[in-house]
Amino acid sequence: MAKLIEKTDIAPAWAAHFCGAPILLTLQNTHIIAFYDDTLHLAVAVIKDGTVELRHTDIKSDWNTGSHHAIALGIDRRSRIHVCAAMHAEPLRYMISGEGLNIGILEHVDSMTGSDEDSVTYPQFFNDCSGRLCFTYRSGVSGSGDQIINIWNDTTERWERLPQLTDGSVYPGGASAYFHNSRPIACPDGYMRAEFMWRADARAETCFDLCCIRSKDMVNWETESGEPVSLPVTPYTKSVTADPVPQQSGLTNMIHALGFDAAGRPVITYHKYDGEKSALFNARFKNGVWEISKAAEPLPEKWEFSGVGAIPHPFEISAMYSNGPDTAINVFHRGICSKILFDSETLIPSGTEIVHSPWGEAAAAEDSRTTVDWIQGRSDTPGKTYFLRWEHGANNRDREPEPPLPEPCMLALYEFDGCIHWLAEAH
């Protein structure tokens, strides 16, 4: 069991509804946090040696829910903070700090490259396998959007456009690609992988075709078997399909994750229907093909979802990870986190364990209308794990909820001694 070392209160955060989740990065024991403050404005905090430095900005969110007004946070090689927020098919909203994590200087930047920046959704900063800072987003709207990637040039201190990754406009009526964590993922074998599914329009039930591509340089992409892929990828690029799931078959951009087995092979875990039940499946590339195997039935009933807006989902999953000689995923449902174990060679489920969190009573919400989430941070500090305790109201599906609304709640940083596998991959 990981041991709590320290708790640091940061500032009151918006709790009236499920807004964009806070983001935490840790660099050499300095913590950088971006979140929506008690007035629903974007705020940035830097914590070093227990001291909290806080900067509020004029970027303001509204009643868009969750990932629709996602916060994106990145650090370049000169330790400048890059942050974006409050965009759902809206113009780019982007700020950059001074060097040395100096949020005393936090300035608006009107554009990155000057093109495809009028309708931005799902922004994400990330680092490629060589450590270069990248930025990706969907340009366009749900059902008709393109995945754009920029890369930061440390020499010129400018953003440069990489080849467009996806294009759904050739599909009848248009389509959009939805990516795991809304971005490519740096993998243990030195590849960047983009795992995604297509969605035919704004309705959640129109997701189809689970896909995966990989690249060494973010310019030249290929299938898992090494076959070159022409960009942009479209719904007709069938060579990249891992599981050809039809629409209205339970595939959902809310429940899918790219992880790895004990041998470092990529595994996609995702939800789709198995007859009249909800089920989790694993797709792993082995012996030249994507092998599909059933992982679990996470619910006692079939989860049937439909419509538009941010739809609440009844459970969450982690990406697959190594667990000694075996591999595992975590499933969180009704306050309980279960670890499902798999034989590493066959991916046949071999057992289930309850995962006990180290935060104990701190998991209890202060208001009966709020929920506590634990947001894991990305850290370069071995042997420690950092979480944000974030309390928030209900998912309102992008509509203003009825008053009275929950009051702001304290956002807090928790430092634990030990490695904790909880839910989603840390951003």
Side-chain angles (χ1 to χ4, degrees), residues 225-303:
S225 63
E227 177 186 345
V229 173
S230 297
L231 297 183
V233 173
T234 77
Y236 299 114
T237 313
K238 296 302 183 182
S239 62
V240 307
T241 304
D243 189 358
V245 183
Q247 294 184 36
Q248 300 183 350
S249 298
L251 190 65
T252 167
N253 57 285
M254 294 173 280
I255 305 290
H256 64 121
L258 173 64
F260 305 92
D261 65 14
R265 293 172 293 199
V267 181
I268 307 169
T269 303
Y270 56 104
H271 173 275
K272 67 175 181 177
Y273 297 140
D274 182 26
E276 291 302 311
K277 289 189 175 183
S278 283
L280 292 175
F281 287 82
N282 290 319
R284 180 174 63 178
F285 194 81
K286 186 180 177 183
N287 299 324
V289 297
W290 284 99
E291 296 182 349
I292 312 300
S293 58
K294 188 174 177 180
E297 292 179 354
L299 302 172
E301 69 283 342
K302 184 180 181 181
W303 172 37

Side-chain angles (χ1 to χ4, degrees), residues 58-288:
D58 58 0
I59 295 178
K60 191 175 189 298
S61 184
D62 52 34
W63 296 112
N64 275 274
T65 296
S67 62
H68 284 173
H69 264 190
I71 300 170
L73 177 67
I75 313 292
D76 66 28
R77 284 173 168 148
R78 295 191 180 181
S79 296
R80 283 169 295 202
I81 299 169
H82 300 250
V83 62
C84 287
M87 296 171 292
H88 185 201
E90 297 169 88
L92 180 70
R93 292 172 179 147
Y94 167 47
M95 301 184 78
I96 186 170
S97 79
E99 294 184 19
L101 308 178
N102 179 10
I103 58 174
I105 301 172
L106 193 58
E107 300 177 336
H108 284 277
V109 179
D110 293 334
S111 69
M112 288 184 172
T113 68
S115 64
D116 301 306
E117 296 175 351
D118 294 329
S119 185
V120 177
T121 307
Y122 305 132
Q124 284 288 327
F125 291 101
F126 65 97
N127 296 98
D128 70 4
C129 291
S130 66
R132 299 179 299 176
L133 181 66
C134 304
F135 180 69
T136 188
Y137 60 96
R138 185 186 72 194
S139 174
V141 297
S142 180
S144 182
D146 304 323
Q147 196 69 24
I148 304 296
I149 303 178
N150 298 332
I151 193 162
W152 180 256
N153 187 315
D154 289 293
T155 302
T156 63
E157 299 184 0
R158 293 182 180 275
W159 290 99
E160 298 172 355
R161 179 63 48 84
L162 293 177
Q164 181 180 318
L165 202 57
T166 63
D167 178 4
S169 65
V170 298
Y171 194 74
S176 294
Y178 284 78
F179 292 76
H180 165 53
N181 273 354
S182 300
R183 60 184 169 90
I185 304 296
C187 302
D189 58 3
Y191 280 99
M192 298 297 297
R193 282 184 175 82
E195 177 267 298
F196 62 97
M197 63 187 65
W198 292 100
R199 201 164 90 180
D201 57 42
R203 296 172 298 159
E205 68 271 27
T206 64
C207 290
F208 66 98
D209 284 4
L210 186 72
C211 304
C212 187
I213 54 178
R214 69 184 189 182
S215 175
K216 286 282 191 179
D217 59 8
M218 300 284 290
V219 173
N220 301 287
W221 292 81
E222 62 186 29
T223 67
E224 199 61 37
S225 63
E227 177 186 345
V229 173
S230 297
L231 297 183
V233 173
T234 77
Y236 299 114
T237 313
K238 296 302 183 182
S239 62
V240 307
T241 304
D243 189 358
V245 183
Q247 294 184 36
Q248 300 183 350
S249 298
L251 190 65
T252 167
N253 57 285
M254 294 173 280
I255 305 290
H256 64 121
L258 173 64
F260 305 92
D261 65 14
R265 293 172 293 199
V267 181
I268 307 169
T269 303
Y270 56 104
H271 173 275
K272 67 175 181 177
Y273 297 140
D274 182 26
E276 291 302 311
K277 289 189 175 183
S278 283
L280 292 175
F281 287 82
N282 290 319
R284 180 174 63 178
F285 194 81
K286 186 180 177 183
N287 299 324

